[in-house]
Amino acid sequence: MTHLPTTRREMLERGWEQLDIILLSGDAYVDHPSFGVAVIARVLEAEGYRVGVIPQPSWHGDLRDFRRLGRPRLFFGVSPGAMDSMVNKYTAARRLRSQDAYSPDGRHDMRPDMPTIVYTDCVRRIFPDVPVVLGGVEASLRRLAHYDYWKESLRPSLLAQTDADLIIWGMGERPIAELARRLSDAVESYHPALFYDETGEAHVTRSVFADVAHGIPQTAWLSGQKPDDCVEIASYEDCLADPKCEASSIRVIEEESNALTPRRIAQRTGSQWVVCEGQYSPMTTEELDAVYDLPYTRLPHPKYNGHRIPAYEMIRHSITMHRGCFGGCAFCTISAHQGKFISSRSKRSILAEAEAITHMPDFAGTISDLGGPSANMYRMAGADKSRCARCRRPSCLHPSVCPNLHVDHSPLTEIYREVSAIKGVKHCYVGSGVRYDLILHRNADESLNHASADYARQLILHHVSGRLKVAPEHTEPSVLSLMRKPPFEQFAQFKHLFDRICNAEGKCQQLIPYFISSHPGCYERDMESLARKTRDMGYRLEQVQDFTPTPMTIATEMWATGFDPYTLKPVFSAKSDEEKQRQRQYFFWWKN
């Protein structure tokens, strides 16, 4: 196994004179399934395309990095990396972070603000007629009008901020493969609008791209007119003028993002329309296995030898078991990118990856995480799929667990045990966050309750690396309701369960809760109450953060517009530095 080419020399070593697709990434190039660009590159390679990766190109000077691999036959793909670039680069106080976890040696000068915009502009200056496709979480969260916390303003779709041709939003394997197939077929049909360069090879032009690419699920594109079959939301200009228009629009976007039968959305922006196609149905187990079974080296590119990439060090021995999250937390971006329906890998695929990890030269016996967006949602879904098809509820857990949700922890417990039994595995930990409300949920079927109890015991005794992370986020009912989180009493109940199991088995372990200050709806009196309740439980809080408004979440829209998108009732938010600092200080009463 080798990495895909990043230089002209590496192309020629493969016997390639020209690439079909070139992917630009704001991250260092790590060929691991936890890095989105590596996944997309391997998926396209498996489809038979010649793919190259340009990681962290310099956007200064003569732009030679953007010329490095030449002109692609089909398109450039632009991604900021595994995280939203602004969240990755700046704190909630808009201060530059001390390190960039996805850059060699943690350097924070390896990517610009908003690589999606900057990289697209660089490509346009060199290759004005090559199609540019935007992807990754940055594009997903900015596919339609959105509030930008760092610019402190409402911004239009990235398509209106760049000269890009298409956005692929959400998990991109299927839409990008379909796009590549359509474009490749267009080249091979010798469409008259194609042109040829001095090598005699055909290339897709932007005009051909527009004819071929529109209409693919999970894409967004610009149109001169509104399509007939769509849900129209308030225009960008109307959202600028009236915060309630923006709040109402984000509700429609969230509902369609979480629907099994989504509708196309259209939003007028200036003289054009941003057309956002609905998503594909959730990936089947076979489809997800095919993605994770691809021949990843699981290593950084050799160009980084002698350098550490902090994010890679954290996840190199981890395994993703599933995608999606049906928690629907108001401040979380998962539903806007992955959706609420769970796609799970097979036990065979997970065990095969665990076996492969044991053969890595640096493996010392510890699998650091066997999880997903929420660790214990593996293989969970609605029992009656017809009810799911009619549902537009953003959360399956709030305000209470959906009666149609089949909460069965037994498949997860079985995998934990089998991975732990693999030769060479000494420890198998769960580093992802656990939803304790799922563990505590009482099912009508008593066997499912036994499975939850068995899971809790197995998790606490064998898969906690000294500390188990959970996220109550707050203590006060009014704030938790806006967050779409369960009552704080459930955290107290789970802590009692955790302590009882640990004490009975002589385990010295900690339950580490995460909390947020300055979330919409949170007053200073709520933080005072949070401090009192957590102090009475014996906590000196460590895992805390200020609320960071990230694009296209319900909480961000509350913060920006002052209204709850689902009720249009006013919502207070602490916005000034002084207000936020006062709220944050309640976390650290014990330092005063």
Side-chain angles (χ1 to χ4, degrees), residues 351-388:
L351 293 177
E353 184 173 357
E355 178 71 31
I357 289 174
T358 65
H359 297 291
M360 292 178 69
D362 63 345
F363 183 67
T366 299
I367 291 178
S368 58
D369 186 21
L370 194 57
S374 289
N376 57 321
M377 291 185 180
Y378 179 74
R379 300 194 76 84
M380 292 187 187
D384 183 348
K385 298 301 186 292
S386 66
R387 291 176 63 180
C388 293

Side-chain angles (χ1 to χ4, degrees), residues 158-361:
L158 274 179
L159 291 172
Q161 297 183 62
T162 66
D163 195 19
D165 298 276
L166 192 77
I167 284 175
I168 288 178
W169 64 274
M171 308 306 284
E173 295 93 344
R174 286 182 290 181
I176 205 165
E178 174 62 21
L179 174 64
R181 280 192 290 270
R182 289 191 186 189
L183 295 176
S184 189
D185 289 346
V187 171
E188 292 170 7
S189 68
Y190 297 97
H191 193 292
L194 295 171
F195 71 91
Y196 298 81
D197 67 6
E198 63 274 9
T199 68
E201 292 197 55
H203 303 272
V204 173
T205 63
R206 297 183 71 188
S207 59
V208 170
F209 184 93
D211 291 340
V212 172
H214 294 173
I216 297 173
Q218 274 176 236
T219 63
W221 43 281
L222 288 176
S223 174
Q225 58 186 13
K226 184 183 76 171
D228 293 331
D229 54 337
C230 67
V231 178
E232 180 183 348
I233 60 175
S235 70
Y236 169 62
E237 289 74 17
D238 286 345
C239 291
L240 273 175
D242 185 352
K244 284 189 176 180
C245 286
E246 170 62 12
S248 298
S249 295
I250 202 70
R251 173 179 177 172
V252 175
I253 295 168
E254 183 183 54
E255 288 178 337
E256 297 305 322
S257 297
N258 288 313
L260 266 181
T261 53
R263 298 170 293 178
R264 171 190 278 178
I265 295 173
Q267 182 176 48
R268 184 171 57 79
T269 303
S271 61
Q272 293 184 298
W273 291 84
V274 179
V275 181
C276 186
E277 304 287 348
Q279 63 270 32
Y280 282 90
S281 59
M283 293 182 81
T284 65
T285 293
E286 292 72 23
E287 289 171 328
L288 198 57
D289 281 357
V291 169
Y292 283 89
D293 291 348
L294 292 170
Y296 305 96
T297 64
R298 301 185 69 89
L299 299 170
H301 189 277
K303 68 183 285 186
Y304 304 114
N305 286 348
H307 300 275
R308 58 181 286 271
I309 300 172
Y312 171 69
E313 292 182 347
M314 184 173 66
I315 57 83
R316 67 188 187 276
H317 299 145
S318 67
I319 299 173
T320 299
M321 298 177 61
H322 59 278
R323 291 179 178 175
C325 178
F326 48 72
C329 298
F331 51 82
C332 183
T333 61
I334 292 173
S335 66
H337 188 60
Q338 294 192 19
K340 75 175 183 181
F341 295 100
I342 306 299
S343 294
S344 299
R345 296 169 62 185
S346 69
K347 181 169 68 172
R348 175 209 58 79
S349 177
I350 294 167
L351 293 177
E353 184 173 357
E355 178 71 31
I357 289 174
T358 65
H359 297 291
M360 292 178 69

Side-chain angles (χ1 to χ4, degrees), residues 327-488:
C329 298
F331 51 82
C332 183
T333 61
I334 292 173
S335 66
H337 188 60
Q338 294 192 19
K340 75 175 183 181
F341 295 100
I342 306 299
S343 294
S344 299
R345 296 169 62 185
S346 69
K347 181 169 68 172
R348 175 209 58 79
S349 177
I350 294 167
L351 293 177
E353 184 173 357
E355 178 71 31
I357 289 174
T358 65
H359 297 291
M360 292 178 69
D362 63 345
F363 183 67
T366 299
I367 291 178
S368 58
D369 186 21
L370 194 57
S374 289
N376 57 321
M377 291 185 180
Y378 179 74
R379 300 194 76 84
M380 292 187 187
D384 183 348
K385 298 301 186 292
S386 66
R387 291 176 63 180
C388 293
R390 298 190 301 270
C391 178
R392 276 178 164 65
R393 177 176 161 175
S395 171
C396 301
L397 300 181
H398 182 84
S400 59
V401 176
C402 175
N404 188 45
L405 182 65
H406 185 64
V407 180
D408 184 3
H409 282 92
S410 57
L412 191 54
T413 308
E414 182 180 343
I415 288 177
Y416 285 2
R417 288 174 173 146
E418 293 198 28
V419 169
S420 299
I422 292 174
K423 183 179 179 181
V425 174
K426 300 175 184 176
H427 307 287
C428 174
Y429 294 132
V430 175
S432 305
V434 172
R435 290 294 302 230
Y436 52 80
D437 46 348
L438 279 174
I439 295 174
L440 299 174
H441 175 64
R442 297 297 89 191
N443 299 274
D445 184 342
E446 196 57 36
S447 67
L448 297 179
N449 295 330
H450 286 305
S452 294
D454 184 36
Y455 170 78
R457 183 175 178 80
Q458 175 76 9
L459 171 72
I460 294 167
L461 292 182
H462 303 293
H463 305 288
V464 175
S465 178
R467 310 177 115 197
L468 178 63
K469 298 184 297 186
V470 295
E473 307 294 9
H474 215 284
T475 60
E476 301 311 286
S478 59
V479 184
L480 290 169
S481 178
L482 289 173
M483 288 179 162
R484 297 181 186 152
K485 297 293 290 188
F488 187 66

Side-chain angles (χ1 to χ4, degrees), residues 565-582:
Y566 280 78
T567 66
L568 294 184
K569 292 180 179 178
V571 177
F572 164 80
S573 291
K575 292 190 175 183
S576 72
D577 290 343
E578 293 76 18
E579 286 178 307
K580 291 192 285 187
Q581 181 60 24
R582 283 201 304 271

Side-chain angles (χ1 to χ4, degrees), residues 460-461 495-509:
I460 294 167
L461 292 182
K495 184 179 186 303
H496 176 74
L497 173 67
F498 182 90
D499 292 343
R500 178 169 55 80
I501 292 175
C502 288
N503 292 337
E505 298 295 331
K507 287 274 189 178
C508 184
Q509 300 186 139

Side-chain angles (χ1 to χ4, degrees), residues 331 436 470-480 483 485-489 491-492 513-547 580 582-590:
F331 51 82
Y436 52 80
V470 295
E473 307 294 9
H474 215 284
T475 60
E476 301 311 286
S478 59
V479 184
L480 290 169
M483 288 179 162
K485 297 293 290 188
F488 187 66
E489 290 74 20
F491 169 73
Y514 282 64
F515 289 95
I516 295 176
S517 61
S518 302
H519 188 277
C522 180
Y523 292 86
E524 195 171 335
R525 64 176 179 267
D526 297 313
M527 293 303 300
E528 183 180 6
S529 182
L530 182 153
R532 183 178 63 255
K533 290 179 181 179
T534 54
R535 181 191 61 205
D536 290 347
M537 296 178 75
Y539 278 108
R540 293 187 175 187
L541 300 180
E542 303 172 23
Q543 301 296 331
V544 298
Q545 64 180 33
D546 293 337
F547 170 67
K580 291 192 285 187
R582 283 201 304 271
Q583 289 209 12
R584 182 176 175 80
Q585 283 178 342
Y586 282 99
F587 287 137
F588 305 111
W589 56 267
W590 46 276

